[in-house]
Amino acid sequence: MNIMLFHSTYGLTAAVRDAADRLRAAGHEVWTPDLFEGRTFGTVEDGMEFKEAVGKEELLKRAVLAAAPYSDRGLVYAGFSLGASVAQTLALGDAKARGLLLLHGTSDIAPTAHVDELPVQLHVAEPDPFETDDWLGAWYLQMGRAGADVEVYRYAGAGHLYTDPELPDYDAEAAEATWRVALGFLDSL
């Protein structure tokens, strides 16, 4: 698979590069665009402040420009938290998208969004302060109405970015379970 993997509000960190290497070791081609142009952050708050200063539209523009040269190949869009929301937006707008892998995040869905049975897999903590149960229930229904084929995996007691070994949220057991399921998902596409 050809995978476009987007980083979280921490930026393009070693953990994101390591995730890309894990995917490459499984036989996938992976690109990791740096939407923050070299900036990384030690806290969610600092990353969110930078994201707000840059603006959502500019970040989406950067993401589209990064993906455009490869979209004819049929990309799987993937991302961590903020990067998951970016990946979701791009996948729902790309008729050639092969799949969507969301790690720790989702995004709003335009009422006009439509895909043709796009395979979607979401991995998220339970509970997650950024992905509440009510939000996820509504998101799931909206994705279904948009035509996506959605699987949701919840990880009880894990922190928000539980796959990142550099963060206090890290949960080794949940992270390994996530990668095992996600790699199976990618192999099925």
Side-chain angles (χ1 to χ4, degrees):
M1 280 294 115
N2 296 300
I3 302 169
M4 188 66 53
L5 179 63
F6 294 102
H7 61 75
S8 74
T9 58
Y10 288 95
L12 186 56
T13 62
V16 177
R17 288 186 185 93
D18 290 347
D21 287 343
R22 181 187 287 241
L23 294 168
R24 288 182 188 108
H28 304 289
E29 189 160 358
V30 184
W31 296 273
T32 55
D34 187 348
L35 303 181
F36 287 0
E37 299 178 331
R39 301 279 310 268
T40 58
F41 299 95
T43 68
V44 170
E45 294 78 17
D46 289 345
M48 292 299 282
E49 184 178 315
F50 181 78
K51 176 197 126 205
E52 294 301 322
V54 172
K56 182 179 180 178
E57 294 305 315
E58 176 61 24
L59 289 177
L60 284 175
K61 177 182 168 187
R62 292 175 185 180
V64 167
L65 290 172
Y70 310 103
S71 63
D72 280 346
R73 299 180 186 197
L75 291 171
V76 173
Y77 292 92
F80 297 96
S81 192
L82 166 69
S85 69
V86 170
Q88 177 185 306
T89 300
L90 268 60
L92 292 179
D94 182 351
K96 295 181 181 179
R98 298 278 308 272
L100 175 59
L101 176 60
L102 302 171
L103 301 163
H104 321 295
T106 61
S107 185
D108 295 329
I109 302 165
T112 57
H114 180 74
V115 292
D116 189 17
E117 297 182 15
L118 179 72
V120 177
Q121 193 174 85
L122 168 65
H123 296 268
V124 65
E126 182 177 28
D128 187 310
F130 299 103
E131 302 289 325
T132 65
D133 290 345
D134 289 345
W135 168 263
L136 287 173
W139 173 86
Y140 181 84
L141 292 173
Q142 289 175 317
M143 286 296 277
R145 281 195 288 272
D149 181 13
V150 181
E151 298 177 306
V152 178
Y153 294 86
R154 305 289 306 268
Y155 299 87
H160 175 65
L161 271 167
Y162 64 82
T163 59
D164 188 334
E166 299 173 346
L167 299 176
D169 286 350
Y170 182 63
D171 182 314
E173 185 177 328
E176 285 309 308
T178 295
W179 285 116
R180 186 173 51 256
V181 173
L183 289 170
F185 170 70
L186 293 169
D187 287 345
S188 74
L189 301 178

